[in-house]
Amino acid sequence: MQIFSCPFCGSRPEYEFHFGGDLGNHRPEGFEAVPDREWADYLYFRNNPKGTAREVWMHLTCGEMFSMTRDTVTMAAAPGETLTEGQP
Amino acid sequence: MTARRLPSGGEIDRARPLRFTFDGKVVEGFAGDTLASALLASGRQVLGRSFKYRRPRGLFGAGVEEPNICADVTEGAAFRPNQRVTTEPARDGLVLRSASTAPDAERDRTGFIDLFSRFIPSGFYYKTFMFPDWHLFEPQIRAMAGLGRVDPGKTGPVGDQVNHFCDALVIGAGPVGLAAARMLAGAGKSVVLADDGSRPGGSLLYRQAEIDGKPGADWLAETLAQLAGLGVTILPRTTAFGLYDHGLVALNQRHEDGRADTLWRVRPEWIVLAAGAIERPLPFSMNDLPGIMSAQAGLSYLRRQAVLPGANIVIAANNSTGAEVAQAMAAAGARVTLIDRRPDATPLPGIACHAGRSIDSALGRKAVHGVVLDDGTEITCDCLLVSGGFTPTIHLYAQAKGRLAWDETRLAFLPGDPVPGLTVIGGAAGQFTLHEAFAALPAALGLEGAPSAVPSSYDITPAWPEPGCKGRIWIDYQHDVTAKDVELAARENFLSVEHLKRYTTLGMATDQGKTSNLNGLALMARLTGREIPEVGTTTYRPPFTPVPYTSLAGLRGGERMNPVRRLALEGRHRALGAALGEYGGWLRPIHYGQNDAAILAEAKMARATVGLFDASPLGKIEVIGPDAAEFLDFIYYNTVSTLKPGGCRYGFILSESAVVYDDGVLVRLDEHRFVVSCSSSHAAGVHAMLEEWRQDRFPAKRIFIHNATAETATITVTGPQARAVIRAAGITADLDDAAFPHMTTRPGCHGDTPLRLTRVSFTGDRSYELSVRQDLAPGLWDALDGAARTLGGGPIGIEAVMILRAEKGYIVIGKDSDGMTRPMDLGLSGPLRSKKAEFIGKRSLLQEEAQRPDRNQLVGLQPEDSGGLLPVGAHGLDLTGNAPRSIGYVTSSCPGAGHDGPVALALIERGASRHGEVIELHHLGKRRRARITAPCAFDPKGDRLNA
Amino acid sequence: MTKHYSALSLVKEGLRGQKGWVPAWTSPQPKPRYDVVIVGGGGHGLATAYYLAKTHGITNVAVIEKGWLGGGNTGRNTTVVRSNYFFPESVRLYDMALKLYEGLSRELNYNIMLSQRGMISLAHTPAEMEMAARVVNAMQINGTDAELFGPEDVRRVVPIYNFGPKARYPALGGVWQGRSGTARHDAVAWGYARAASALGVDILQQCEVQEFIVEGGRCRGVKTSRGEIRADRVGLAVAGHSGQMAAKAGFRLPITSYALQACVSEPVKPILDTVVLAPGAGTYASQSDKGEMVVGGGLDRIPSYGQRGNLPVLETVISGLLEMFPSFRQLKLMRQWAGIVDVVPDSSPIIGESPLPGLFLNCGWGTGGFKAIPAGGTLLAHLLATGQHHDISRPFDLDRFARGRLIDEAAGSGIAH
């Protein structure tokens, strides 16, 4: 069982967390102005890195989202970091 | 009779004799025996049959490495198949049945298969059974496969699980592990010491040793006392079977008293692997005969259980450990011959020695009775103890992705580069003498206080199976894989070690190749002109030994598995005789009657007078703050910021792909306070979604979200008498319609209890939802229930509510919508055109998929035949093409309560523009006919909301 | 020299000390050029090569595998084959595969041990029975076999299921597909490899693709650890590594790679004769012909290339298993492993030309690739041979994401599919 570190609560077991996707997947604003391909990219397409990954996670227990750098091969996980206030 | 119990010695308690049966025959033993040692002492040799060729087999090992013998064990009412006899303690009254034999191991009727062995080499089943069909042959093959049997009439125990932390976990309580534990504990560390044997001690339990000037047994007793004094937790009978990510070690602890095993999950700062090494067999023809055992196993049976394995013993070894075994057997009274492959082996007094020689073949059929050496010499024997070298037990190091390095001197794969947090010591690190192992401890642990042992040396000469050898040389005993099978694999180009394993099934049996992997890959190396490290090993994965399912399942079962959530009012519902069922993860009243007929009766009652419904699981998520309105405009499909305080609005929450994720009523309590209500099964999901978007788009201090679902009970009062019931129940609130119109919320109280009343309707009738703190709900319920009954109403279950909403065309998300449904499909298309603000899913509404005209849309259906209710799940059909095509399906169907006749909802292609059309439906091979209608079948104008 | 497999060949070679068997496939040196190169030597890649040679007569083909053939997900799955899906596009796809599986042993002259012992996907509540009816009807309309089982039917095919009054996940019935079952996974890979090799396909193992050769905006081949290899068209069938390969080719995919665990028990005598899925428990199981219980469940929901999951999921799967079959408390876990599954938002595969012209994709099968191998191979072969979609693969093109036309099977089959 893996241990991840929520920046607010500290070290918790893996089942308290939910994977939220790539860090930096900014939502394209602009409605009709956003091309189909760009919208699909945001909705569905992923980096899926083999190795170092910069990810968004939610700690379900406290409800806070945070970013975490993880290695998807060795499964090493750095302590989570808060998302910068106001920035996606 | 070959093996016999010696009159004295060993760990056994001769004052506590016991008996069990094996294949119907009585076996006598003592406390301290394993099933194997008692069977050995009884003189029985044939204890099982091999998997493919059904050859007679006896014991090979004394511990977890045993490849041959397992038995189904009945103990009173309990039954456990496939028990390894070498690790199970003998207990009085056990009934053992050898695995996969008929009628028993000794007389198995399928032994003739061995005569046809040349026609059934590895992988033979891939090359035949194609005509007429595999299905013809499969039942026979299945019947012959498998070891023990499951007893379908019995279940099994419940295991428990323990979580633990410590500074150091030492795996293996042999001399080196014990020393390490003492050094670590002495340095102030909390230490757990685990050993898979019945007692700590490892090789000290059966091998001579002199440590710090004392005999090994004395040092052992002293050290155990010291460890106890230092607070070390010792876990015997405990196998560390897996090392998982982030340094979690999983161990399975067996108990002596028949209790289910316990799973330990330990997270140590430091793992010290002192798991020793496992002896491997020698390759020679007929090396699988009963009576051929691992030399260390023979020594263990002799010293620990006082069983001399034979009267006339040949010991064959390619390394220096053979000598000790030979001397021990001779001292116990056997006639001993030592065949030492090392040409410079030192002769031993009183023991016939053949140096520089090896065994060509063993002689015998149901038991070994002699050997033939490579120089032609024949020697008789009734027991053959073999040692082909030692394979370090580095499994946990390899599971941690440690890379192994081949050592040509020790002929073993040893740990290579260090893995952080894990140190390998002793035999597992290839240090096969105590002297060497102790000397390496200080550097390995960075601590002082290592013991010392008399210097000795270990040397070994290669004895790998060679290509082209004559005879039948077993590599994997349990799966009957011989050297010829490895040659066949090489010939057919299954060269990689993984292909070799899968093609021949070498190493895939319950012993996971502990005694076979290295011999197999060494032979493959030789066959293909590669070095052993080039061939390499297969991937090491948990579990090291098989782990009972009960250890992994623990207490998670029955009620404790995904427990249903319980209503605060459950006691009231039960007292009223409710039938309860699971809905959306909650246990809720289905109806309050004797049978399903109550459902329609309750719905009709609610239409006539009033129904009380426990709506507590409804999600209630409070959204509070100065930015709450703007936030909710982003969350909802419709515009909600224009809602006035005290107002309610029905809306959809979409996913970013514009699929309707949830529907519900938004309640505005005041300028900065809202309550999002959502379907009970989606409350957690909606809460997580709200949090994600809040944190993504808004400053932290402008919005606060609180999931009030569990702490709030909600009772719905619905029907023409709803207002009268609330008044009669003594609830204080202004219920005048002018002051309290439909789709508004007002405060009220019941005595001292504050509550909120919200006029929303899921039934189409005048309806009030009363929300109160959950512990205060029973009092409120009693008052409402009493009032309702005086007016001819009463409680209604969820199925009655489902009828009432269905005839109004009100959807249930996930039932009348699916993973493709967009808001326009349900009749709401306004916001796409008129709402300026950005909201979740807005852009997706412009996609080709959302815009196509042939989408499935919500409709009502009325049967056009006399088949009664339309079946849910029936599909509408388009019959205009070459083959029938589905155009959607029935999602809800029930008898009407207010509406006279059946009611159904469906999602049908272009349904909204097809009202009046009659379509064919397909249901389980039969056809029905139905007319498409508007979804609402009753009171389409909604007059009853204010009736 | 014995090339053809049969009972007679076993007798012949048995008498000759097995000396006449020939290699199942060749180990040739890579050529600098082929007509088609397929990256990925798993079931899908090998099947593609076979169908290119057999159906389209294109034999100048190389399959490039960085490890040993069949060593990825094809060697790590739970061997279930079925076509019990909801959408017509899916039923067409998976039933194409099932039909091909039905004749495959004879076609390849390799016993893949197809055992059509049926599969029951249970429904535990009346609401789930309604969903089951929806799926059964969809399957029937789309031309494949399906039955809606009631409780007595379940009792007949799985007598050892937990029918006790306290069962957490009672069997009210469910979706039954009689033609479903299992097939020996290694045999499928090896059977296709042998047949393709016999038709002239070069299978290049221990050959890792490092880069794509891109010239004039087209993919012209690959650079590998064993040299440069050019081709007119390149197919990509690398499952969980699809994202990594895509990155090399300069595009992204809607794929996240997760570990999917599976395990087997110690072998016991036959006691379970069908494939059983209990969606509530989150577990499914069958019994192999060797007697082992083959058990699977849901993903470890943490993206991973580790080919290994962790205890929480394993414990959940096993406790689900014991809830389904209380008598399995007598059993032990013998071996566990994991694959790397390429999960797509709608759990449907991606088949079609990639954003890099000349490079064709067959990926996104997620937890359900094994059952589809013959179809994946047929469809990718069609693309590589003609440059065009087969009717059955067109709905699964990558462009469905931009159009929003997902084929979302999540409702169709419960858990890992």
Side-chain angles (χ1 to χ4, degrees):
Chain A
M1 187 179 62
Q2 297 169 86
I3 301 276
F4 297 133
S5 175
C6 166
F8 306 96
C9 306
S11 294
R12 305 297 304 172
E14 63 179 85
Y15 49 76
E16 289 190 16
F17 295 87
H18 177 75
F19 173 62
D22 297 329
L23 182 67
N25 187 26
H26 301 301
R27 184 178 196 272
E29 309 287 328
F31 189 40
E32 289 153 313
V34 178
D36 271 344
R37 195 51 230 267
E38 189 184 336
W39 184 249
D41 224 52
Y42 153 73
L43 264 188
Y44 302 120
F45 287 69
R46 296 289 172 259
N47 294 330
N48 197 28
K50 181 176 184 178
T52 308
R54 297 274 293 145
E55 299 170 334
V56 178
W57 285 81
M58 176 185 268
H59 184 208
L60 297 166
T61 312
C62 71
E64 292 293 325
M65 308 208 58
F66 62 94
S67 72
M68 178 159 63
T69 304
R70 228 170 40 89
D71 189 303
T72 60
V73 177
T74 67
M75 304 306 268
E81 298 172 316
T82 63
L83 299 171
T84 310
E85 173 137 313
Q87 185 195 314
Chain B
M1 288 277 283
T2 65
R4 66 184 172 91
R5 180 89 66 181
L6 298 174
S8 64
E11 302 165 10
I12 49 172
D13 183 353
R14 294 167 201 267
R16 290 160 60 201
L18 51 86
R19 11 173 56 202
F20 59 90
T21 67
F22 179 87
D23 279 355
K25 300 219 169 58
V26 173
V27 178
E28 290 179 343
F30 300 98
D33 263 325
T34 59
L35 294 174
S37 60
L39 285 164
L40 190 64
S42 75
R44 238 169 229 84
Q45 284 198 298
V46 177
L47 299 172
R49 291 282 168 157
S50 72
F51 179 69
K52 189 163 68 164
Y53 301 128
R54 325 302 292 172
R55 290 169 59 84
R57 286 289 169 79
L59 290 166
F60 177 79
V64 299
E65 76 285 0
E66 171 57 27
N68 282 335
I69 308 303
C70 62
D72 294 350
V73 178
T74 306
E75 185 171 13
F79 176 78
R80 291 174 300 148
N82 288 352
Q83 298 303 299
R84 194 175 291 100
V85 296
T86 51
T87 52
E88 284 301 301
R91 278 201 297 278
D92 200 57
L94 298 180
V95 176
L96 267 57
R97 179 86 182 71
S98 58
S100 192
T101 61
D104 56 39
E106 192 76 40
R107 302 171 294 163
D108 187 75
R109 284 181 223 112
T110 56
F112 69 91
I113 289 176
D114 196 34
L115 297 171
F116 299 100
S117 62
R118 69 184 66 207
F119 303 116
I120 49 174
S122 284
F124 77 94
Y125 34 79
Y126 298 128
K127 295 172 171 163
T128 181
F129 300 134
M130 293 173 260
F131 288 90
D133 198 79
W134 169 241
H135 292 107
L136 191 66
F137 305 99
E138 191 186 20
Q140 279 297 89
I141 303 280
R142 282 169 76 82
M144 300 220 26
L147 292 170
R149 55 185 67 244
V150 170
D151 183 343
K154 291 193 151 86
T155 164
V158 175
D160 64 352
Q161 302 178 325
V162 175
N163 294 325
H164 198 66
F165 296 89
C166 58
D167 295 327
L169 171 65
V170 180
I171 298 167
V176 186
L178 288 162
R182 197 180 64 188
M183 290 158 72
L184 289 159
K189 301 209 180 294
S190 59
V191 178
V192 173
L193 174 62
D195 192 281
D196 69 8
S198 57
R199 311 165 40 205
S203 61
L204 291 176
L205 298 173
Y206 58 92
R207 287 184 68 179
Q208 310 278 34
E210 195 186 308
I211 306 175
D212 287 347
K214 311 184 234 304
D218 294 351
W219 183 87
L220 172 61
E222 247 179 55
T223 306
L224 288 172
Q226 285 165 345
L227 291 177
L230 287 165
V232 171
T233 304
I234 300 183
L235 300 176
R237 301 190 178 283
T238 302
T239 309
F241 65 84
L243 175 51
Y244 295 91
D245 292 317
H246 298 196
L248 184 84
V249 182
L251 305 99
N252 186 64
Q253 177 186 36
R254 304 188 299 285
H255 302 288
E256 295 197 83
D257 51 9
R259 258 190 298 153
D261 296 2
T262 300
L263 178 75
W264 283 70
R265 302 187 204 92
V266 180
R267 204 174 298 269
E269 292 291 322
W270 195 356
I271 300 165
V272 178
L273 188 59
I278 294 175
E279 189 168 54
R280 52 182 183 263
L282 283 169
F284 50 86
S285 184
M286 306 303 264
N287 60 344
D288 76 323
L289 290 174
I292 301 181
M293 285 202 297
S294 138
Q296 293 291 303
L299 190 57
S300 173
Y301 287 123
L302 175 68
R303 293 249 164 82
R304 296 193 66 185
Q305 287 95 19
V307 182
L308 184 60
N312 183 9
I313 304 177
V314 167
I315 293 151
N318 68 343
N319 62 79
S320 45
T321 65
E324 181 187 349
V325 179
Q327 286 170 317
M329 297 296 154
R335 195 174 114 216
V336 175
T337 312
L338 175 61
I339 319 290
D340 197 321
R341 197 184 175 101
R342 301 170 304 152
D344 50 355
T346 319
L348 301 167
I351 293 174
C353 289
H354 297 250
R357 299 262 70 90
S358 61
I359 298 183
D360 243 19
S361 67
L363 302 171
R365 226 174 46 81
K366 279 203 160 169
V368 65
H369 63 68
V371 296
V372 180
L373 304 188
D374 57 334
D375 62 5
T377 315
E378 254 189 58
I379 304 172
T380 60
C381 66
D382 60 5
C383 170
L384 171 55
L385 301 177
V386 297
S387 179
F390 292 85
T391 305
T393 309
I394 40 68
H395 299 58
L396 260 57
Y397 167 85
Q399 287 178 24
K401 306 283 199 245
R403 315 201 59 168
L404 299 171
W406 178 250
D407 185 308
E408 188 62 32
T409 315
R410 287 167 233 255
L411 298 181
F413 278 105
L414 301 183
D417 291 330
V419 164
L422 191 152
T423 304
V424 187
I425 57 177
Q431 295 145 8
F432 294 139
T433 66
L434 282 184
H435 168 73
E436 186 188 358
F438 287 150
L441 271 181
L445 300 179
L447 294 170
E448 299 300 316
S452 65
V454 173
S456 62
S457 66
Y458 172 83
D459 67 290
I460 180 173
T461 191
W464 306 118
E466 295 294 336
C469 266
K470 296 266 184 304
R472 299 169 74 189
I473 300 171
W474 266 263
I475 303 290
D476 184 317
Y477 289 133
Q478 196 169 122
H479 271 176
D480 264 342
V481 179
T482 64
K484 289 208 166 48
D485 292 316
V486 179
E487 290 191 24
L488 177 61
R491 183 168 303 125
E492 292 187 300
N493 209 8
F494 290 89
L495 301 185
S496 84
V497 67
E498 291 283 357
H499 279 158
L500 167 64
K501 164 184 160 186
R502 286 153 181 274
Y503 187 61
T504 63
T505 73
L506 185 161
M508 294 179 77
T510 67
D511 64 336
Q512 293 292 283
K514 290 179 179 55
T515 53
S516 58
N517 281 335
L518 194 50
N519 279 340
L521 67 94
L523 175 56
M524 176 55 85
R526 276 157 159 64
L527 284 163
T528 53
R530 288 177 285 174
E531 296 300 318
I532 287 174
E534 267 179 85
V535 177
T537 62
T538 55
T539 309
Y540 288 84
R541 279 191 278 261
F544 173 66
T545 53
V547 174
Y549 277 159
T550 52
S551 299
L552 295 164
L555 299 174
R556 215 176 291 103
E559 273 190 331
R560 287 200 196 89
M561 171 169 289
N562 306 325
V564 263
R565 302 182 70 179
R566 315 292 283 268
L567 297 167
L569 289 169
E570 183 180 315
R572 292 297 191 273
H573 301 309
R574 285 188 184 273
L576 289 165
L580 300 167
E582 187 175 349
Y583 292 86
W586 290 81
L587 190 64
R588 308 183 70 169
I590 305 168
H591 59 75
Y592 292 83
Q594 299 298 325
N595 53 45
D596 284 359
I599 295 171
L600 185 57
E602 286 170 17
K604 288 188 162 154
M605 173 185 73
R607 283 277 183 247
T609 54
V610 68
L612 281 190
F613 173 64
D614 186 348
S616 300
L618 194 70
K620 291 147 289 225
I621 302 178
E622 298 182 7
V623 181
I624 303 162
D627 286 357
E630 187 190 336
F631 171 64
L632 290 168
D633 260 354
F634 176 78
I635 295 295
Y636 276 91
Y637 174 57
N638 14 358
T639 300
V640 297
S641 54
T642 52
L643 189 58
K644 296 197 178 10
C648 307
R649 187 165 298 171
Y650 175 75
F652 289 152
I653 297 177
L654 308 183
S655 70
E656 274 279 52
S657 50
V659 170
V660 180
Y661 179 66
D662 201 43
D663 72 335
V665 170
L666 178 69
V667 177
R668 187 168 200 164
L669 298 176
D670 63 40
E671 198 196 335
H672 290 164
R673 273 184 80 203
F674 296 79
V675 180
V676 173
S677 73
C678 42
S679 36
S680 53
S681 52
H682 276 117
V686 170
H687 183 201
M689 207 181 175
L690 292 173
E691 275 296 343
E692 185 178 336
W693 287 114
R694 171 188 78 73
Q695 294 175 42
D696 189 52
R697 298 175 77 86
F698 288 85
K701 297 187 202 293
R702 305 283 294 174
I703 303 170
F704 180 73
I705 296 171
H706 172 67
N707 185 349
T709 306
E711 73 209 37
T712 311
T714 302
I715 301 170
T716 302
V717 186
T718 174
Q721 298 298 326
R723 192 167 36 171
V725 164
I726 292 170
R727 284 199 183 108
I731 287 157
T732 314
D734 187 350
L735 296 170
D736 188 52
D737 276 1
F740 192 0
H742 179 61
M743 291 302 267
T744 59
T745 187
R746 298 286 179 262
C749 53
H750 178 237
D752 290 331
T753 303
L755 51 86
R756 187 171 70 243
L757 301 98
T758 306
R759 271 190 80 180
V760 302
S761 180
F762 193 43
T763 60
D765 283 337
R766 174 182 291 270
S767 181
Y768 298 79
E769 285 180 2
L770 279 64
S771 292
V772 72
R773 209 178 71 197
Q774 56 90 20
D775 57 316
L776 301 170
L780 178 63
W781 174 274
D782 290 340
L784 289 167
D785 188 31
R789 285 176 198 281
T790 63
L791 290 164
I796 62 173
I798 191 169
E799 290 296 338
V801 171
M802 291 295 270
I803 289 179
L804 296 168
R805 65 93 205 173
E807 62 185 2
K808 291 296 298 181
Y810 295 159
I811 60 162
V812 172
I813 290 289
K815 182 171 162 61
D816 308 297
S817 74
D818 60 28
M820 317 260 286
T821 307
R822 269 57 171 189
M824 316 74 80
D825 307 332
L826 301 172
L828 268 78
S829 51
L832 174 58
R833 290 190 292 275
S834 60
K835 182 174 175 181
K836 293 276 187 296
E838 188 63 38
F839 56 87
I840 304 172
K842 189 177 186 185
R843 176 58 182 81
S844 290
L845 290 167
L846 298 180
Q847 283 177 325
E848 179 190 310
E849 168 62 11
Q851 293 288 313
R852 64 181 170 87
D854 60 343
R855 297 187 54 78
N856 288 359
Q857 295 167 330
L858 181 72
V859 297
L861 286 179
Q862 284 293 313
E864 278 287 309
D865 55 25
S866 50
L869 291 182
L870 294 171
V872 177
H875 282 237
L877 291 176
D878 166 16
L879 297 168
T880 62
N882 293 337
R885 183 178 69 87
S886 168
I887 54 167
Y889 37 83
V890 178
T891 60
S892 292
S893 175
C894 53
H899 172 75
D900 181 23
V903 158
L905 296 174
L907 289 166
I908 297 292
E909 189 177 282
R910 291 180 299 107
S913 54
R914 295 169 76 170
H915 292 186
E917 198 180 314
V918 174
I919 56 172
E920 297 266 315
L921 303 174
H922 167 104
H923 185 64
L924 306 182
K926 298 205 166 55
R927 291 283 175 90
R928 294 289 307 269
R929 299 178 74 235
R931 181 168 35 87
I932 300 175
T933 68
C936 179
F938 177 67
D939 182 35
K941 296 222 205 71
D943 294 329
R944 291 179 62 97
L945 288 170
N946 287 297
Chain C
M1 286 243 294
T2 301
K3 281 193 176 151
H4 184 80
Y5 291 164
S6 65
L8 199 57
S9 67
L10 282 170
V11 171
K12 194 172 81 165
E13 287 303 327
L15 296 171
R16 296 202 320 183
Q18 321 294 346
K19 294 277 191 316
W21 297 112
V22 300
W25 46 78
T26 59
S27 293
Q29 288 305 311
K31 300 204 303 239
R33 224 197 160 286
Y34 293 88
D35 290 342
V36 177
V37 152
I38 298 158
V39 181
H44 282 259
L46 293 164
T48 303
Y50 170 74
Y51 290 116
L52 272 170
K54 184 82 194 301
T55 310
H56 301 276
I58 300 174
T59 58
N60 189 14
V61 173
V63 175
I64 300 181
E65 166 55 47
K66 77 167 186 222
W68 34 282
L69 65 88
N73 291 349
T74 303
R76 293 162 196 270
N77 54 72
T78 51
T79 78
V80 175
V81 296
R82 58 190 178 89
S83 63
N84 48 358
Y85 280 78
F86 181 71
F87 290 103
E89 297 89 339
S90 309
V91 174
R92 258 177 244 135
L93 177 67
Y94 293 103
D95 215 48
M96 173 197 232
L98 189 54
K99 290 200 178 81
L100 286 167
Y101 265 127
E102 282 169 336
L104 199 59
S105 290
R106 292 201 192 179
E107 183 177 346
L108 299 179
N109 181 229
Y110 206 93
N111 183 17
I112 64 159
M113 298 163 74
L114 176 69
S115 171
Q116 290 179 284
R117 56 184 72 171
M119 174 170 180
I120 177 70
S121 301
L122 291 170
H124 307 300
T125 64
E128 289 178 19
M129 279 298 283
E130 290 179 353
M131 281 305 301
R134 193 194 286 187
V135 172
V136 168
N137 285 328
M139 289 170 68
Q140 289 177 348
I141 292 167
N142 291 313
T144 193
D145 63 312
E147 257 182 80
L148 184 67
F149 265 21
E152 287 317 307
D153 299 308
V154 178
R155 206 180 273 273
R156 190 184 73 242
V157 299
V158 198
I160 58 167
Y161 190 83
N162 186 357
F163 293 107
K166 290 232 160 99
R168 181 68 183 87
Y169 294 108
L172 260 59
V175 179
W176 170 259
Q177 185 182 35
R179 283 165 62 236
S180 292
T182 61
R184 182 113 183 92
H185 52 357
D186 288 329
V188 172
W190 298 341
Y192 272 120
R194 173 169 167 265
S197 181
L199 289 171
V201 170
D202 280 2
I203 301 174
L204 308 172
Q205 298 179 70
Q206 307 300 321
C207 183
E208 183 168 3
V209 169
Q210 293 156 341
E211 269 176 58
F212 289 99
I213 301 172
V214 181
E215 286 164 5
R218 264 193 91 79
C219 180
R220 306 279 177 188
V222 289
K223 289 197 179 133
T224 78
S225 54
R226 293 173 71 182
E228 202 176 275
I229 301 175
R230 290 184 169 257
D232 294 330
R233 294 205 175 106
V234 177
L236 194 59
V238 295
H241 283 89
S242 299
Q244 223 208 342
M245 284 287 127
K248 289 189 207 288
F251 58 89
R252 296 199 307 170
L253 289 168
I255 282 177
T256 305
S257 297
Y258 293 95
L260 180 65
Q261 297 188 54
C263 59
V264 290
S265 72
E266 292 187 313
V268 288
K269 292 296 178 196
I271 191 169
L272 179 63
D273 291 329
T274 186
V275 183
V276 184
L277 165 66
T283 302
Y284 65 98
S286 65
Q287 186 173 19
S288 76
D289 290 331
K290 284 234 299 284
E292 304 147 334
M293 292 309 150
V294 184
V295 182
L299 302 169
D300 278 52
R301 281 261 157 215
I302 295 166
S304 161
Y305 285 84
Q307 282 183 326
R308 163 171 94 170
N310 280 290
L311 272 186
V313 167
L314 182 65
E315 291 183 29
T316 300
V317 170
I318 296 301
S319 46
L321 181 73
L322 298 189
E323 193 57 33
M324 294 161 72
F325 305 112
S327 59
F328 285 8
R329 287 186 174 272
Q330 300 161 27
L331 292 176
K332 295 197 274 294
L333 175 80
M334 183 167 80
R335 214 166 60 241
Q336 61 152 140
W337 63 88
I340 309 170
V341 292
D342 40 345
V343 174
V344 170
D346 62 355
S347 305
S348 290
I350 298 169
I351 309 172
E353 192 162 27
S354 78
L356 176 60
L359 179 64
F360 295 81
L361 303 169
N362 173 17
C363 61
W365 296 96
T367 60
F370 177 69
K371 71 174 82 70
I373 285 173
T378 300
L379 297 169
L380 183 60
H382 190 273
L383 272 163
L384 290 166
T386 67
Q388 301 294 322
H389 265 296
H390 187 291
D391 275 343
I392 289 182
S393 65
R394 190 167 293 109
F396 298 99
D397 194 276
L398 184 63
D399 69 359
R400 72 178 185 270
F401 294 98
R403 291 168 31 230
R405 182 63 156 152
L406 274 57
I407 301 168
D408 195 337
E409 284 287 341
S413 68
I415 45 151
H417 62 93

